[in-house]
Amino acid sequence: MEEEDDDQQNILDLVKELVNRLLSQNPQNPKPPISNHNPNSPDFQNSLRYAIRILSSRLTPSIAPDAAAIAESIKRGLATQGKSSQALTLAELYNKFASKTGPGSINNKWAVLYLLKIISEDTKIAQNAPNSMLLLPNLGLNELDLSNESRISRDFKRREKGYDNGVLLVSKDPENLLEIAFREFVNLVKEENEVSEEILVRDVLYVCQGIDGKYVKFDANVDGYVLSDSIKVPRGTRVMVRKLCELGWLFRKVKGYISESMDRFPAEDVGTVGQAFCAALQDELSDYYKLLAVLEAQAMNPIPLVSKSTSSSNYLSLRRLSVWFAEPTVKMRLMAVLVDKCRVLRGGAMAGAIHLHAQHGDPLVHEFMRSLLQHVCSPLFEMVRSWVLEGELEDIFAEFFVVGQPVKVESLWREGYRLHAGMLPSFISQPLAQRILRTGKSINFLRVCCDDRGWADTATEAAAAAGTTTRRGSLGYGETDALETLVVEAAKRIDKHLLDVMYTRYKFKEHCLAIKRYLLLGQGDFVQYLMDIVGQELSEPANTISSFQLAGLLESAIRSSNAQYDDPDILDRLRVKMLPQGTGDRGWDVFSLEYDARVPLDTVFTESVMARYLRIFNFLWKLRRVEHALIGAWKTMKPNCITSHSFTKLQHAVKLQLLSTLRQCQVLWNQMNHFVTNLQYYIMFEVLEVSWSNFSNEMEGAKDLDDLLAAHDKYLHSIVEKSLLGERSQSLYKSLFALFDLILRFRSHADRLCEGIYELQARTRASSLSSQDKTKSQRQTRDNLSEPGSWFSDGRKALEQRAGEFLQNMGQELEEISKEYTVLLEGFLSQLPVQQHVDLKFLFFRLDFTEFYSRLRPGT
């Protein structure tokens, strides 16, 4: 008891000290400080009694002690005033304030928030209506003198003295003028409105959830929510309701699209991207539902804050509802636009269309679209990750911009995959899409065609180098730079690995060189030996030739030349191929060689490519055949085979005719040989070797399989164009082959001439034998050459006569061949200068000069 008495006495002493200090700090107090007077003075006692009365009062505010509700009320007030940033700051500060617990924290947090709210509202009222504020700047009051009149008079007197820094707010509107005015306004509004604003607010909240209200309903004719014309409301209210109902109309459209799409899933026209879009829209609607729940609760049970006179400030009116709906309307309007835009789109096209709307200057719209696109593009980026790092095309609903189709193994690279431009989103550039396509193709090519698994480690290294992982969800919208870095790193490593496999394991360079040596006839000793041993066989009709016999001859040519030292795998791929036979074709016309390019080499050496190689081979084979024919003709015409002293006993005229025909044949052979030699030099060196050198350099610089294919196509195209086999050289090609056919015909005439001369030479030599040998020789000759038509059957005179006729006919035929050759050659040369390829123009200078030089020296 003694301790309690001591506490009470201490409290009383503290209160006296507080009152003494407050009275002493009043600058408007005309009296001297009370601290210098007796504490039992009347002013001091009155102030002390008033302070004790305040401290001992048990009055409580008419509000539930809920700190969260008070904070939410303050935040809504700030948002209603358009101070959104201050409302966000308040929310952050309250979260920190509410999280403080334990020693040193405030227990009655709601009281502190309530005090701050009251002070804020009183400050605003004081600024707007200063005459309604009644302050007590002096605590020295008579507690019995508290009437309205005395308080107002004292307030005016104190204001005239210039004091406006009150200590305690006692009353705001002592005559209840604000409450009376508000009550009159409410009565006036009720008289003008058939429906109260509270009911309209409730209807609008229902409409915003897609539900018809009691008075506001959806009208299909106008495609919107309307307030019936029969209901009596002011025009301003009707306009406000129609404006607020736009949010409900937008919600109805968005919600309808979501329901329709989910009902059709898993249809192909919805797909995973469409499903993600609907999920993102549904998430936004969930936040929207939360806002409506809060507003509906506020409309049903408004939270009183201070007193009955101030409770009207928390009333949820249509205007306040329009403030709350400002941000949701912007988002819902944007969602409705996206719904209309994406209704007929899917996959990458849908993501690209949504991305175009993200290019907006409003930070709210930009952030909203970014969040939406992160959900929408998630399936698309997962497809990119799976394709680039695993080579898997996870595209069930055909939404990806890479499209695969079933093809043969040899066509996997060229035709197995392609870009679908319609599904390429606008935030992925065309070069990046091409690189994505090639990277996945490379993985599939290694896995299917090369039976290689080394790409998996390469893909992991690429992901690590790009600063990401191979796990799902490692990429997303807004990370285009990271995506490009990943694709570049993966493409660089996987393409390098693919080329290493092609060069090392499958020996691509060696196979290209083998094709050059055997199909393009670059292995000289092999080609010469092959032509020598198959010449007799190929001179037979094509339908009588056995391909097995030719295969044996090919094997003999390989074993008899340096080709025998090549890789057995390469030699095993070289085979004989017989072309389709025509009427009257010889073996020369249907014989060819082919090279068996197996997987994965058949990706480069496709059927069309090998057909072009076959066309080049046929041309080069014909050129070599013509060269071989001229060499054979020279062997039969060379001087050590035909000697002039063997014809000394012939008539002089026959002898001159013989020498003239031989000279004519040799001159024509010389001209043809110069033409064929220069043409062959041009083809073998200026075409094949130069093209191969360029191809080798480009092979070394190739960075991926596409570069390798392009280099090989360029190499083959160069050979075709320079070898007169291009589409623009068809007339030149026909002229050249006409020359070849004429040279082969010349070879047959030269063989006939030499055979006749050899027969005449044999007869002349037989006539010069000794009589003993002559009798024996005549007997043998008569037995062997006495058939009708033989030169030896009619005697010497008949022999010379028939020899003269034969030489005359051969001379005439050679003259005709010479004239035809000249015409064909001039026609061929005349077409060279007009050719578009520069190398063909230089071929004209070489052939023209050598032909002129050969004419000046006909005896060479």
Side-chain angles (χ1 to χ4, degrees):
M1 294 293 294
E2 293 180 357
E3 293 180 357
E4 293 181 357
D5 294 341
D6 293 339
D7 292 340
Q8 292 290 339
Q9 186 61 40
N10 291 334
I11 292 173
L12 181 60
D13 293 341
L14 290 174
V15 172
K16 290 180 179 179
E17 182 66 22
L18 176 62
V19 171
N20 186 28
R21 288 177 178 273
L22 290 174
L23 292 175
S24 300
Q25 294 175 0
N26 186 1
Q28 300 298 332
N29 189 0
K31 299 179 181 181
I34 297 179
S35 57
N36 298 329
H37 295 269
N38 188 355
N40 295 323
S41 63
D43 289 339
F44 183 86
Q45 291 295 328
N46 290 336
S47 299
L48 178 61
R49 285 195 298 271
Y50 185 72
I52 293 174
R53 180 182 175 188
I54 293 175
L55 293 175
S56 60
S57 66
R58 299 183 179 275
L59 296 176
T60 58
S62 59
I63 182 173
D66 188 350
I70 297 175
E72 185 66 23
S73 176
I74 298 174
K75 185 170 66 175
R76 283 200 303 270
L78 292 174
T80 304
Q81 299 169 16
K83 301 177 180 179
S84 301
S85 59
Q86 296 182 11
L88 292 175
T89 305
L90 174 66
E92 295 177 359
L93 294 175
Y94 171 72
N95 290 335
K96 296 179 180 179
F97 179 64
S99 63
K100 297 292 184 179
T101 57
S105 63
I106 299 175
N107 293 329
N108 296 329
K109 295 182 175 63
W110 70 271
V112 175
L113 294 174
Y114 179 67
L115 174 63
L116 295 175
K117 179 175 176 60
I118 292 300
I119 292 174
S120 175
E121 290 180 350
D122 289 346
T123 302
K124 295 174 185 176
I125 294 174
Q127 292 174 353
N128 296 331
N131 293 331
S132 64
M133 300 296 295
L134 297 178
L135 303 177
L136 293 178
N138 190 350
L139 290 179
L141 299 174
N142 188 344
E143 62 174 326
L144 300 177
D145 188 14
L146 294 175
S147 63
N148 291 337
E149 181 179 358
S150 61
R151 282 184 293 170
I152 293 174
S153 61
R154 279 196 299 271
D155 180 62
F156 284 152
K157 291 178 181 179
R158 294 188 182 101
R159 288 185 180 277
E160 289 176 357
K161 296 178 181 180
Y163 183 80
D164 58 354
N165 186 17
V167 178
L168 180 65
L169 178 63
V170 176
S171 176
K172 306 180 296 183
D173 190 11
E175 299 178 355
N176 294 328
L177 298 178
L178 182 63
E179 183 178 358
I180 295 172
F182 179 74
R183 191 180 299 113
E184 292 178 353
F185 174 74
V186 170
N187 294 333
L188 180 62
V189 170
K190 288 182 178 180
E191 292 177 0
E192 294 182 355
N193 290 282
E194 185 177 340
V195 181
S196 66
E197 188 174 15
E198 292 89 342
I199 297 177
L200 290 179
V201 167
R202 190 173 305 171
D203 272 15
V204 169
L205 291 176
Y206 285 149
V207 164
C208 291
Q209 302 174 59
I211 305 171
D212 286 348
K214 184 176 181 180
Y215 300 101
V216 183
K217 301 179 182 296
F218 183 79
D219 189 350
N221 296 326
V222 299
D223 189 24
Y225 289 96
V226 297
L227 180 63
S228 177
D229 295 337
S230 61
I231 299 175
K232 182 180 178 182
V233 293
R235 182 174 178 275
T237 302
R238 188 177 298 276
V239 172
M240 180 65 70
V241 169
R242 184 170 66 250
K243 180 180 179 181
L244 294 175
C245 287
E246 179 193 3
L247 183 59
W249 180 82
L250 296 172
F251 170 82
R252 180 188 178 95
K253 174 179 288 191
V254 174
K255 185 65 177 177
Y257 172 80
I258 296 174
S259 302
E260 179 184 352
S261 298
M262 291 297 97
D263 291 342
R264 288 186 291 118
F265 190 80
E268 184 174 335
D269 56 345
V270 178
T272 56
V273 176
Q275 186 184 20
F277 179 49
C278 292
L281 293 178
Q282 191 63 50
D283 290 344
E284 291 296 332
L285 291 185
S286 298
D287 295 339
Y288 173 71
Y289 289 146
K290 294 178 183 177
L291 174 63
L292 291 183
V294 172
L295 294 177
E296 190 171 356
Q298 177 66 15
M300 299 296 182
N301 301 302
I303 300 176
L305 293 181
V306 181
S307 64
K308 184 178 179 181
S309 62
T310 60
S311 62
S312 60
S313 63
N314 301 291
Y315 171 69
L316 187 61
S317 64
L318 292 175
R319 288 192 177 277
R320 290 186 176 181
L321 203 59
S322 66
V323 175
W324 281 105
F325 281 175
E327 182 176 327
T329 301
V330 173
K331 293 183 177 180
M332 197 68 69
R333 189 179 292 126
L334 188 55
M335 286 190 287
V337 171
L338 295 178
V339 163
D340 289 338
K341 184 71 174 179
C342 300
R343 193 174 296 275
V344 295
L345 300 177
R346 59 187 177 88
M350 176 183 289
I354 297 175
H355 168 73
L356 294 178
H357 288 81
Q359 312 304 312
H360 203 284
D362 188 347
L364 173 65
V365 176
H366 182 75
E367 186 61 30
F368 170 74
M369 291 300 303
R370 181 183 178 85
S371 175
L372 188 69
L373 280 166
Q374 285 179 345
H375 290 82
V376 172
C377 295
S378 178
L380 195 63
F381 275 81
E382 179 56 32
M383 294 178 193
V384 174
R385 186 207 63 81
S386 177
W387 174 252
V388 170
L389 297 180
E390 302 172 7
E392 296 292 340
L393 198 58
E394 299 179 353
D395 188 17
I396 303 175
F397 302 105
E399 303 173 281
F400 197 32
F401 54 85
V402 175
V403 180
Q405 55 187 357
V407 293
K408 297 179 181 179
V409 176
E410 60 269 20
S411 302
L412 179 67
W413 182 268
R414 296 179 183 268
E415 303 174 5
Y417 303 98
R418 61 180 178 84
L419 281 181
H420 186 190
M423 289 296 172
L424 182 62
S426 54
F427 52 83
I428 296 181
S429 63
Q430 187 71 21
L432 180 59
Q434 290 289 348
R435 185 166 289 178
I436 291 173
L437 170 66
R438 191 183 66 249
T439 305
K441 278 202 309 182
S442 299
I443 294 178
N444 280 276
F445 183 80
L446 286 167
R447 181 168 50 204
V448 176
C449 299
C450 301
D451 193 24
D452 178 78
R453 295 295 180 269
W455 58 267
D457 296 335
T458 305
T460 304
E461 294 174 3
T468 182
T469 64
T470 58
R471 297 194 305 270
R472 292 178 176 269
S474 57
L475 294 173
Y477 177 79
E479 301 177 356
T480 307
D481 293 339
L483 171 65
E484 187 169 358
T485 302
L486 174 64
V487 173
V488 169
E489 293 294 335
K492 181 172 61 177
R493 286 169 170 77
I494 293 175
D495 288 337
K496 182 178 182 300
H497 179 69
L498 190 152
L499 292 180
D500 289 343
V501 170
M502 290 289 289
Y503 291 158
T504 306
R505 180 177 173 184
Y506 291 99
K507 301 179 180 179
F508 175 77
K509 296 179 181 179
E510 288 79 356
H511 287 290
C512 289
L513 182 59
I515 290 177
K516 173 182 176 291
R517 293 170 61 188
Y518 298 116
L519 293 192
L520 302 185
L521 308 183
Q523 186 73 25
D525 57 339
F526 162 77
V527 175
Q528 186 63 42
Y529 192 83
L530 177 64
M531 192 158 286
D532 289 339
I533 62 176
V534 302
Q536 184 177 359
E537 186 72 21
L538 296 180
S539 299
E540 301 297 328
N543 54 6
T544 63
I545 299 177
S546 171
S547 59
F548 296 102
Q549 186 175 359
L550 291 177
L553 296 175
L554 174 63
E555 185 68 23
S556 299
I558 291 175
R559 290 196 304 267
S560 302
S561 63
N562 288 331
Q564 61 181 317
Y565 303 112
D566 277 346
D567 189 345
D569 178 62
I570 291 177
L571 298 177
D572 182 59
R573 296 169 183 261
L574 189 62
R575 299 171 185 174
V576 172
K577 179 180 181 180
M578 302 300 291
L579 300 178
Q581 303 174 6
T583 305
D585 283 345
R586 295 282 176 176
W588 292 103
D589 301 319
V590 297
F591 174 82
S592 65
L593 296 179
E594 67 175 352
Y595 194 83
D596 183 17
R598 301 160 194 163
V599 176
L601 297 177
D602 54 0
T603 300
V604 180
F605 304 112
T606 61
E607 292 183 1
S608 60
V609 169
M610 297 311 294
R612 296 169 72 184
Y613 272 118
L614 178 60
R615 189 179 178 195
I616 298 172
F617 171 82
N618 290 333
F619 168 71
L620 296 177
W621 185 253
K622 188 70 172 285
L623 179 59
R624 284 301 186 97
R625 179 191 172 191
V626 170
E627 179 194 25
H628 189 266
L630 289 175
I631 293 174
W634 172 251
K635 289 179 181 179
T636 60
M637 292 190 305
K638 59 185 180 179
N640 58 352
C641 295
I642 302 176
T643 57
S644 58
H645 63 81
S646 302
F647 306 103
T648 55
K649 294 186 178 183
L650 291 176
Q651 290 184 359
H652 184 67
V654 175
K655 186 176 180 180
L656 289 177
Q657 189 175 9
L658 173 62
L659 295 176
S660 175
T661 305
L662 281 174
R663 182 178 179 82
Q664 183 182 6
C665 183
Q666 290 175 351
V667 169
L668 186 56
W669 179 91
N670 192 38
Q671 295 175 357
M672 292 180 174
N673 182 64
H674 272 76
F675 171 76
V676 172
T677 301
N678 282 277
L679 179 63
Q680 186 180 19
Y681 172 85
Y682 164 77
I683 295 295
M684 300 307 295
F685 292 96
E686 297 187 17
V687 175
L688 295 182
E689 292 300 329
V690 171
S691 298
W692 172 257
S693 177
N694 295 334
F695 176 49
S696 299
N697 294 334
E698 292 182 359
M699 248 196 309
E700 294 296 331
K703 296 181 180 179
D704 51 64
L705 188 56
D706 279 334
D707 289 348
L708 191 61
L709 291 173
H712 181 263
D713 289 342
K714 181 180 178 182
Y715 163 67
L716 198 55
H717 177 75
S718 174
I719 295 175
V720 169
E721 290 297 323
K722 293 181 181 181
S723 300
L724 315 179
L725 302 177
E727 295 295 332
R728 296 174 294 184
S729 304
Q730 288 301 306
S731 59
L732 200 61
Y733 176 77
K734 292 178 181 179
S735 300
L736 181 60
F737 267 62
L739 283 169
F740 287 166
D741 292 337
L742 185 62
I743 293 173
L744 294 176
R745 194 166 53 140
F746 165 77
R747 164 67 192 274
S748 64
H749 279 72
D751 288 345
R752 283 174 53 200
L753 175 61
C754 292
E755 289 175 2
I757 294 175
Y758 289 151
E759 188 175 356
L760 180 59
Q761 187 177 3
R763 175 67 184 87
T764 305
R765 186 181 302 161
S767 63
S768 63
L769 294 175
S770 61
S771 58
Q772 183 178 357
D773 295 336
K774 179 178 179 181
T775 303
K776 184 178 179 180
S777 177
Q778 285 178 349
R779 189 181 300 114
Q780 293 177 352
T781 302
R782 224 174 6 255
D783 293 338
N784 297 329
L785 303 173
S786 60
E787 298 84 359
S790 173
W791 291 359
F792 296 94
S793 61
D794 297 330
R796 186 178 185 84
K797 183 181 289 190
L799 173 63
E800 293 179 352
Q801 182 180 357
R802 296 193 63 180
E805 293 175 357
F806 170 74
L807 293 174
Q808 183 178 2
N809 293 334
M810 290 303 300
Q812 293 176 355
E813 292 179 1
L814 289 174
E815 184 66 25
E816 293 176 359
I817 292 176
S818 178
K819 291 180 180 180
E820 185 177 356
Y821 172 77
T822 302
V823 173
L824 290 175
L825 181 62
E826 290 177 354
F828 177 78
L829 294 177
S830 65
Q831 297 181 60
L832 286 177
V834 299
Q835 297 300 311
Q836 295 186 1
H837 206 287
V838 65
D839 288 349
L840 294 177
K841 296 180 181 179
F842 283 107
L843 174 63
F844 166 75
F845 300 135
R846 176 181 294 276
L847 292 177
D848 186 59
F849 172 77
T850 54
E851 284 303 317
F852 175 75
Y853 183 71
S854 66
R855 290 175 187 273
L856 289 179
R857 300 178 59 192
T860 57

